[in-house]
Amino acid sequence: MQEHKGLRDRNAGSYAEYVKKEEKTVQILECGREHRETLLFFPCTAEPVWAFADTIAVLSQRWHIFQVVFDGHQPEYPGDFTSVEQTVDEVTQYLNVHGISHLDAAYGCSLGGACLTRLLALGEISVGRAIIDGGMTPYRLPFLVRKLLLARDVLSFRTAASNREVLEAAFPPERFTPPGHDSRKEYNAMERYLKTFSNRTIRNIFWSANNYALPKVPAECGTKITYWYGCDEKKDRRYNIRFMKHYFPQIRVHGIPKMAHAELVLVHPELFDHYAEKFLKPEE
């Protein structure tokens, strides 16, 4: 058990057959253990642990947090990212080993949203309320098209990781630097961080996030689910929203004004906490 240190068919899932099951894919960091209510936190696609430090610090004032760290995402934890399927299996196993069969709440963004979607669909861990923030959903496209999209995504990642101008154009420092932080230091650290990703991790992230397996019909559950998207990314999330409304009929869709993909959780911890608590504890 890790202690959080305060650092900031063929269409779906076939690639998981190539994953070595003996490899460990996740670490779980815990904080706020003194609290009774539990919250599982799945992070974004390619962000360091320190990027969530401010948000986790706010949440841990009220929640016992289980923060997932995808393998291949932190240099101190050896290994490569494998798949959404294996990540969910290992998180479920971790929770079961520690006597947790029910979570009061869960949150997942982007790749983390894909993991949370599968966890809810399998129903092996019950969840009271769940926030899927810009979560990825499986493509329903021909195999060749999906392979081409994978090549595009991998090239985009590698270009941003090796070119500061591209990185800052995609994620403008004036928008993606948390208040009170030095943007130059933040982006210097991010440049170094992105260069730690292996080719296998990069490929597996983008393939699995867009092609993970889901049961045809999700397990029956009483989970209250909301799908968040930043209003500035609404066009990019249209397919995901349509998929979620069909797959989870009980889901509520909520647009966050003036936000881009993952901006709320990464840059605005207090505002994130406001929206999260409003949904997670509406009776209070």
Side-chain angles (χ1 to χ4, degrees), residues 56-159:
I56 292 294
V58 174
L59 291 174
S60 64
Q61 294 175 18
R62 301 180 190 81
W63 299 88
H64 178 179
I65 307 291
F66 295 89
Q67 181 182 1
V68 176
V69 182
F70 301 128
D71 206 17
H73 283 62
Q74 286 294 131
E76 63 266 36
Y77 303 134
D80 295 302
F81 181 79
T82 51
S83 68
V84 167
E85 292 89 342
Q86 187 171 335
T87 299
V88 172
D89 286 349
E90 292 191 358
V91 170
T92 300
Q93 181 183 27
Y94 179 96
L95 295 172
N96 285 334
V97 165
H98 291 84
I100 299 170
S101 59
H102 173 79
L103 293 161
D104 295 295
Y107 169 85
C109 183
S110 196
L111 172 61
C115 292
L116 180 52
T117 298
R118 180 169 167 84
L119 184 139
L120 295 172
L122 295 179
E124 295 177 13
I125 298 288
S126 71
V127 179
R129 289 176 177 260
I131 300 170
I132 301 172
D133 186 357
M136 313 308 291
T137 54
Y139 287 143
R140 295 292 184 258
L141 296 168
F143 182 74
L144 180 58
V145 175
R146 290 184 285 124
K147 293 288 284 187
L148 292 172
L149 290 171
L150 171 64
R152 178 205 63 185
D153 292 338
V154 169
L155 178 61
S156 296
F157 183 96
R158 288 175 175 160
T159 301

Side-chain angles (χ1 to χ4, degrees), residues 10 12-21 82-87 89 118 200 203-204 207-208 211-213:
R10 189 182 184 187
S14 60
Y15 189 65
E17 295 173 5
Y18 296 93
V19 172
K20 295 179 180 179
K21 290 296 182 181
T82 51
S83 68
V84 167
E85 292 89 342
Q86 187 171 335
T87 299
D89 286 349
R118 180 169 167 84
R200 183 174 183 232
R203 186 180 189 280
N204 287 355
W207 179 263
S208 190
N211 295 281
Y212 62 95

